[in-house]
Amino acid sequence: TSMGLKQLDRILRHMDEKLWSNKNYHTLEKEAHTFHMSELWSRASYYIHLLNANPMDESMCGCVTDVSNNDIIPEIELLAMKIKFPGITTGAAPGRPGNGAWPI
């Protein structure tokens, strides 16, 4: 079975679960997102293999390697929050007057 069919099967098995995957997406959006991410990871794998074959060393700038202090982790956490709660950083968040409510 191909990876695409495995992913489609997984989505269809869970499509009626409100809290599974991106809970604000409809089934078709979940499918499109899954295929998009699969393609993205497939393309990124080339660079991951390059990094594994050529690990970073002291010559690499600390602004890249020091993930504890270069704001990469907080940016990833903010992105996750925006995906989980669309509109939360724009003032258009569900739960505000006229915006409905987040499904919980």
Side-chain angles (χ1 to χ4, degrees), residues 5-57:
L5 286 176
K6 287 179 184 178
Q7 293 169 340
L8 178 61
D9 177 63
R10 185 169 171 243
I11 291 166
L12 294 177
R13 279 187 286 120
H14 296 283
M15 70 184 200
D16 294 326
E17 297 175 26
K18 300 236 182 273
L19 298 178
W20 183 80
S21 186
N22 295 359
K23 62 184 175 183
N24 296 311
Y25 285 12
H26 294 288
T27 302
L28 187 56
E29 292 171 309
K30 289 178 183 181
E31 289 178 29
H33 175 72
T34 299
F35 287 118
H36 160 74
M37 292 306 298
S38 179
E39 185 174 318
L40 182 85
W41 284 113
S42 177
R43 291 181 182 189
S45 69
Y46 169 79
Y47 298 100
I48 293 168
H49 290 297
L50 277 180
L51 283 172
N52 285 335
N54 304 293
M56 294 183 274
D57 58 25

